[in-house]
Amino acid sequence: MPEGERTPLASGAMAMNAPAGTTVYAPGEPCNAFILVISGGVRVYQLDADGNEIVLYRLGPGSICILTTLALLASDAYSAFAITETPVQAMALPAATFNDLMARSAQFRSFVFGAQAARMADLMAVIQNVAFGSIESRLAARLLTLAGGGSELSITHQQLAAEIGSAREVVSRQLKAFERRGWVSLGRGRVELRNAAPLRAAAGR
């Protein structure tokens, strides 16, 4: 960015530090800053009418939040929850600085809209999976993703239900079906992947 555009960015940015479990924002709260994650992870989710959680996406280092950007551009309130899953370091730009840079910096606009497009693709994938994917394929895919090449997850059935936008009872039934087939082994707050090949097949990978 040109010097004249870097100056308000550097002078307006404020350091943020939050421990794990901190609520970053909630529905109806005003959006006062543009946040860029430096380290750590944030889970963004919504609740349905029955109080069931569905994870929309996660923010990691270098990530921006699509809901924050939309709220700032529309001068609107937040429409979901965001909570830190680990200790998080971030930088926050006040809304006035964000709007000023969006108006006069092509580089800043390109960064924001490019990151926004990538995050929108993630959100559309969630919508498509919930709308059209079977429970078996969605759960298998999520188990593989969360395992990240490992074989054991510390996660509850309720948390898995939130990950795929389903009810805990439905996820529990499907996990038990996986266990009967020898694909996983279940324990209290734990899922062990015992046979990844059929899980990958179920997930369409």
Side-chain angles (χ1 to χ4, degrees):
M1 295 173 66
E3 181 65 29
E5 297 173 5
R6 289 201 307 270
T7 300
L9 179 64
S11 61
M14 301 176 293
M16 292 179 59
N17 294 281
T22 300
T23 298
V24 181
Y25 58 75
E29 292 183 353
C31 180
N32 299 315
F34 176 78
I35 299 173
L36 178 67
V37 178
I38 297 172
S39 65
V42 180
R43 184 175 80 256
V44 180
Y45 66 95
Q46 284 186 327
L47 298 176
D48 65 16
D50 297 321
N52 297 313
E53 178 183 326
I54 177 170
V55 177
L56 301 178
Y57 51 83
R58 283 181 166 82
L59 303 174
S63 296
I64 69 170
C65 176
I66 186 173
L67 295 180
T68 295
T69 308
L70 291 174
L72 286 170
L73 292 174
S75 299
D76 203 355
Y78 283 111
S79 58
F81 296 87
I83 188 168
T84 57
E85 295 189 305
T86 66
V88 166
Q89 290 183 314
M91 296 299 292
L93 281 181
T97 304
F98 171 84
N99 290 327
D100 177 59
L101 287 169
M102 287 294 287
R104 64 191 183 95
S105 173
Q107 287 90 342
F108 187 74
R109 283 196 305 273
S110 178
F111 165 72
V112 170
F113 288 137
Q116 192 82 340
R119 185 61 62 200
M120 182 66 78
D122 293 341
L123 189 55
M124 290 303 296
V126 171
I127 295 171
Q128 184 176 23
N129 285 335
V130 172
F132 305 113
S134 68
I135 290 295
E136 178 176 291
S137 64
R138 287 157 55 195
L139 183 56
R142 203 63 189 151
L143 287 171
L144 291 167
T145 298
L146 292 172
S151 61
E152 188 160 331
L153 297 172
S154 294
I155 193 167
T156 66
H157 294 193
Q158 184 63 58
Q159 289 169 327
L160 275 172
E163 292 288 338
I164 66 170
S166 185
R168 181 188 60 78
E169 295 79 5
V170 175
V171 167
S172 294
R173 284 197 298 269
Q174 190 61 59
L175 283 171
K176 289 174 182 175
F178 285 174
E179 186 174 47
R180 287 194 298 271
R181 299 171 196 168
W183 299 2
V184 303
S185 177
L186 304 177
R188 187 174 180 83
R190 177 188 64 83
V191 180
E192 180 185 356
L193 277 58
R194 301 185 62 188
N195 192 345
L199 287 171
R200 285 193 293 268
R205 298 183 178 182

